[in-house]
Amino acid sequence: MDLINYGYRIAKGTSEFDETFFSLSAHLGKLVFATRLEKKLTQQELAEQAEVSPKTIHRIEGGAGGVTDNTYDKVFDVLEISGEEIGEYFLQKSH
C-alpha cells in the first residue's frame, strides 16, 4: 500500500490520477464491505478488532480517499484479506 501513497504524492493534482485513485478507494471499500458481511461482522465489531473508529470503517466502505495504508492493513488483517486476494479482486473487476 505504500505505493499508493507514493503515487498519490507524485501525481497529486491531476484529475486523471484523482479519478483512478478514488476509484481504487471505492473498490477497496466494496471488498471490505462484502468481506465484512461474509464474516457476519458489524462495522462496530470490525472497528474494535482493527483498533480503528467505526467512522473509519464507514469511510472505507463508502470509498472515501485519504485512508492510510496502515489503516487498510489493520482492517485487511482482521478480515483475513491477503494481497493475493486484493489482486484477484481487481483482476476480476478489469474483465
Side-chain angles (χ1 to χ4, degrees):
M1 288 294 173
D2 287 335
L3 290 177
I4 293 171
N5 290 327
Y6 180 71
Y8 183 73
R9 285 192 298 269
I10 291 172
K12 188 175 181 180
T14 64
S15 61
E16 179 182 323
F17 181 78
D18 286 346
E19 184 178 314
T20 301
F21 180 76
F22 292 112
S23 174
L24 175 63
S25 297
H27 285 296
L28 290 174
K30 289 176 186 177
L31 177 61
V32 167
F33 175 73
T35 306
R36 178 178 64 79
L37 292 181
E38 284 176 14
K39 295 194 178 276
K40 298 181 171 111
L41 292 171
T42 65
Q43 285 185 338
Q44 179 70 36
E45 290 168 333
L46 176 56
E48 287 171 4
Q49 291 179 33
E51 299 178 347
V52 299
S53 72
K55 183 177 179 179
T56 297
I57 300 301
H58 179 76
R59 289 182 63 240
I60 289 171
E61 291 183 355
V67 178
T68 67
D69 56 336
N70 185 47
T71 300
Y72 276 120
D73 286 342
K74 289 178 180 182
V75 172
F76 293 154
D77 284 347
V78 170
L79 295 174
E80 299 175 325
I81 299 173
S82 69
E84 291 80 21
E85 289 171 309
I86 295 168
E88 287 174 23
Y89 176 84
F90 281 101
L91 283 175
Q92 289 173 359
K93 293 295 177 189
S94 68
H95 290 111

